[in-house]
Amino acid sequence: MSSETAGTNPEPAVTEDTANGHAAPDQSTQLQATAAAVVGTGTGEQWLARYGNSLMGVFGSPQRVLVRGAGAVVWDADGNEYLDLLGGIAVNALGHAHPFVTSVIASQLATLGHVSNFFTSPTQIALAEKLLQLSNAPSGSRVFFANSGTEANEAAFKLARAHGKANPAADGRARGTILALDGAFHGRTMGALALTAKQAYREPFEPMPGGVRHIAFNDIDALRAALDDTVAALVIEPVQGEAGVRPLSGEYLQAARELTTRAGALLIVDEVQTGVGRTGDWFAGLAAGIQPDAMTLAKGLGGGFPIGAIVTFGEGPSSLLSAGQHGTTFGGNPVATAAALATLHVLEVQDVLANVRTVSRVFAEGLARIDAVTDIRAHGLLIGFDLDRPVAAGVVTAALDAGFIVNAPGPKTIRLAPPLNLTAEQAASFLAALPALIKTAVAAQPTEGASS
């Protein structure tokens, strides 16, 4: 941003002299409102060297250093351009630097950035009302705001525990079991991790919080057998994104609602990845005709700004957590809730969900014409497709080199979760390139028996 647009902050600038501990000759110089003024510049190689010396290695080595984005396109520190078909893993619902969302965030931050939870703000209240309206929540429903999907699921975990105590089993003991599904991913904090099925994520941190049991995916008989009066809640994702975009059937979702009600257990639907228009409907579970007892949201809700939420449906679930039993420092802050309101506004007024459905069909039809693609699971703009051999990681690498960002959740599976306003032309550009990307990945794969 130029000095003409940097605002009228009366504070003196941090010049090279002041940064070195010397008095600046001109105290009236304005701060430059750019990240480069604070962090400096460098090549991708230079930034990655600094990364390796300063950050924990929990994400491995970053593939690129991204410095700028506009819509569905991003640029790295070396000036290379990429079509972002992952969207921060289903986060950047309107792409990067959406002008309306960024203007609302800047305006709110310049007005009121943070208040403690001893207070509230108009944006927090308005967003809660908007989510209740979009989800057709009945009277008595409520919202709790967090900072992420895993935090929303931690709240759901505590909700289930509270329900188990308030509604004991026949022998008078609290319902102590929470059911989740094989393949589930609900986050990496300890309660959410207990709900997550992947052993590689769980094993280093065991023992997990107790009482969680995983049952077969999409298996109504297994669900029926598991649901007894010791179960406090069933936690499900309408589509398992981390497992390769695996959907639950409509029959399973209906059975989950009916059987949990009959057993006196909560049905908690994790819409962290599927919610807020990702599948072409506002919420995938509700679109399937079921109303859960609680629904968790995050990712696309803030359009790139961190926010999570849990919506509880009706007086019963909404009264399980009382004052002091849960909380957050930053959850529901004015800037995050303003960002979410702005995102929802654009999705509504520009009918972005119709675009999701249109571009989803473009992907599905285009992928079906590629010989090496064996299975396609397109749920709006949450798309998984399988290849005829385990070269998905190689396709990710080839795609990045060719200017496309995609993800491989499995050895044969590619996942796409692009901005919801991605154009059909942008989708077509990837589809045109994909056969060559697959050939590059196959050619790069070591031949069987070759030395390492």
Side-chain angles (χ1 to χ4, degrees):
M1 184 180 295
S2 69
S3 58
E4 291 81 60
T5 59
T8 57
N9 189 333
E11 295 295 319
V14 179
T15 66
E16 183 176 353
D17 285 330
T18 58
N20 289 324
H22 303 295
D26 182 6
Q27 294 295 317
S28 65
T29 304
Q30 300 301 304
L31 284 169
Q32 297 296 307
T34 64
V38 180
V39 304
T41 59
T43 66
E45 184 178 4
Q46 290 167 337
W47 280 117
L48 288 175
R50 291 170 62 180
Y51 181 100
N53 290 326
S54 57
L55 280 95
M56 287 188 182
V58 295
F59 301 114
S61 179
Q63 298 175 53
R64 296 290 191 276
V65 179
L66 301 180
V67 298
R68 183 168 64 91
V73 179
V74 293
W75 289 265
D76 68 17
D78 300 313
N80 300 305
E81 179 179 317
Y82 306 89
L83 182 62
D84 184 3
L85 297 174
L86 190 57
I89 311 182
V91 167
N92 298 310
L94 296 170
H96 302 270
H98 189 279
F100 182 73
V101 176
T102 55
S103 67
V104 169
I105 290 171
S107 175
Q108 182 59 52
L109 187 58
T111 305
L112 184 68
H114 174 77
V115 296
S116 77
N117 53 29
F118 293 120
F119 304 90
T120 189
S121 67
T123 57
Q124 185 184 72
I125 297 165
L127 179 59
E129 291 173 339
K130 187 64 179 177
L131 289 175
L132 294 175
Q133 178 243 316
L134 289 174
S135 60
N136 295 313
S139 176
S141 302
R142 297 290 186 269
V143 178
F144 171 81
F145 290 115
N147 303 290
S148 66
T150 195
E151 290 183 35
N153 285 331
E154 288 288 336
F157 197 106
K158 291 176 74 173
L159 193 79
R161 287 281 191 251
H163 177 76
K165 290 188 175 182
N167 299 272
D171 61 5
R173 291 183 296 176
R175 294 169 178 258
T177 302
I178 302 174
L179 299 178
L181 301 186
D182 291 341
F185 181 86
H186 298 288
R188 297 178 191 258
T189 52
M190 289 302 286
L193 185 58
L195 298 170
T196 294
K198 192 171 182 178
Q199 190 60 24
Y201 294 157
R202 297 160 52 90
E203 190 274 332
F205 308 104
E206 291 176 341
M208 293 287 104
V212 176
R213 181 153 51 97
H214 289 88
I215 61 175
F217 176 81
N218 215 27
D219 186 328
I220 295 174
D221 290 337
L223 176 61
R224 184 179 291 109
L227 274 169
D228 56 30
D229 70 353
T230 69
V231 175
L234 168 67
V235 184
I236 58 175
E237 302 157 273
V239 182
Q240 292 185 340
E242 290 292 316
V245 190
R246 296 200 305 169
L248 288 171
S249 68
E251 292 79 9
Y252 186 93
L253 291 169
Q254 293 291 337
R257 178 66 283 178
E258 294 166 8
L259 293 171
T260 51
T261 299
R262 190 182 308 165
L266 296 180
L267 175 61
I268 299 172
V269 177
D270 178 342
E271 296 250 19
V272 167
Q273 193 157 153
T274 56
V276 196
R278 173 58 52 185
T279 63
D281 293 288
W282 282 111
F283 310 105
L286 293 174
I290 65 166
Q291 183 183 89
D293 298 297
M295 173 176 70
T296 56
L297 304 169
K299 288 194 178 286
L301 178 58
F305 203 94
I307 186 170
I310 179 170
V311 180
T312 50
F313 291 81
E315 292 282 359
S318 299
S319 62
L320 286 169
L321 296 176
S322 58
Q325 290 190 326
H326 197 52
T328 173
T329 295
F330 297 105
N333 72 75
V335 182
T337 48
L341 282 167
T343 300
L344 295 175
H345 177 74
V346 174
L347 291 174
E348 272 195 307
V349 301
Q350 296 188 355
D351 199 13
V352 176
L353 272 61
N355 182 71
V356 171
R357 296 188 288 270
T358 296
V359 179
S360 180
R361 288 193 294 271
V362 171
F363 273 120
E365 292 168 3
L367 289 167
R369 291 192 290 267
I370 298 175
D371 291 340
V373 173
T374 61
D375 189 43
I376 304 158
R377 299 171 297 282
H379 301 273
L381 288 179
L382 181 59
I383 298 168
F385 61 92
D386 294 340
L387 305 172
D388 60 4
R389 62 191 76 194
V391 294
V395 170
V396 170
T397 299
L400 197 61
D401 291 341
F404 301 98
I405 297 175
V406 300
N407 170 245
K412 291 186 177 182
T413 303
I414 299 294
R415 174 174 51 166
L416 309 176
L420 304 184
N421 53 359
L422 187 82
T423 68
E425 292 75 19
Q426 288 171 322
S429 71
F430 172 71
L431 292 167
L434 183 57
L437 301 179
I438 296 171
K439 288 181 180 179
T440 298
V442 170
Q445 188 177 40
T447 57
E448 189 171 345
S451 62
S452 58

